[in-house]
Amino acid sequence: MLRGLTTVTFFADDVAAAVEWYTEVLGTAPYFVREVGGHTAYVEFRIGDYQHELGIVDARFAGDRTPGAHGPVTYWHVDDVAAAHDRLVALGATSHEGVIERGPGYVTASVVDPFGNLLGVMVNQHYLDVLADALAGALAARSA
């Protein structure tokens, strides 16, 4: 069901300070910034060999934080967010955030697993694009 890591999101009360710190740590500025009401609400960095995504979300958008469930939400690519969310709940997880379309090609949901961990599932177009490029490169290398 979980096809690959897509995005890890951290929450920050001071997004600007978090952006400054992570820009220094990572050696690159965020490639994506979304503002809400004139304030930075979300930024995203692409990092590493596979361009994994690290998102920083304004803590005011953290939603209803489930008691005992803290830390980042790690999102895994799935083919069907609603079906994956429903299956996880059926297996004993508690819904943390239902299915939300974040933008074209990006749909998320999250649960709290029976052990208190936040687990996210996501359809992520960037993940699919990187996978397609990797497969095309592998095919090209075979035919060379």
Side-chain angles (χ1 to χ4, degrees):
M1 179 172 83
L2 304 179
R3 292 189 49 196
L5 178 68
T6 61
T7 308
V8 175
T9 57
F10 294 157
F11 295 97
D13 291 323
D14 185 342
V15 175
V19 167
E20 184 177 330
W21 193 82
Y22 275 99
T23 296
E24 178 67 24
V25 167
L26 301 171
T28 188
Y31 82 96
F32 179 80
V33 177
R34 175 169 285 162
E35 291 193 1
V36 173
H39 300 285
T40 302
Y42 180 73
V43 302
E44 198 164 81
F45 297 87
R46 287 193 177 150
I47 56 176
D49 296 332
Y50 294 99
Q51 297 185 36
H52 291 305
E53 296 173 341
L54 171 63
I56 309 294
V57 182
D58 188 314
R60 65 190 164 121
F61 296 106
D64 186 19
R65 303 297 282 178
T66 305
H70 302 286
V73 180
T74 302
Y75 288 96
W76 296 85
H77 183 82
V78 296
D79 293 322
D80 184 329
V81 173
H85 179 267
D86 291 349
R87 180 170 183 259
L88 291 166
V89 170
L91 292 171
T94 303
S95 182
H96 176 256
E97 198 168 57
V99 176
I100 299 173
E101 180 158 348
R102 304 288 183 177
Y106 299 90
V107 180
T108 67
S110 58
V111 299
V112 179
D113 74 11
F115 317 101
N117 300 297
L118 293 170
L119 171 62
V121 290
M122 177 180 209
V123 167
N124 182 301
Q125 188 57 51
H126 174 68
Y127 174 88
L128 294 171
D129 293 344
V130 169
L131 179 62
D133 288 347
L135 291 174
L139 290 174
R142 273 193 188 162
S143 61

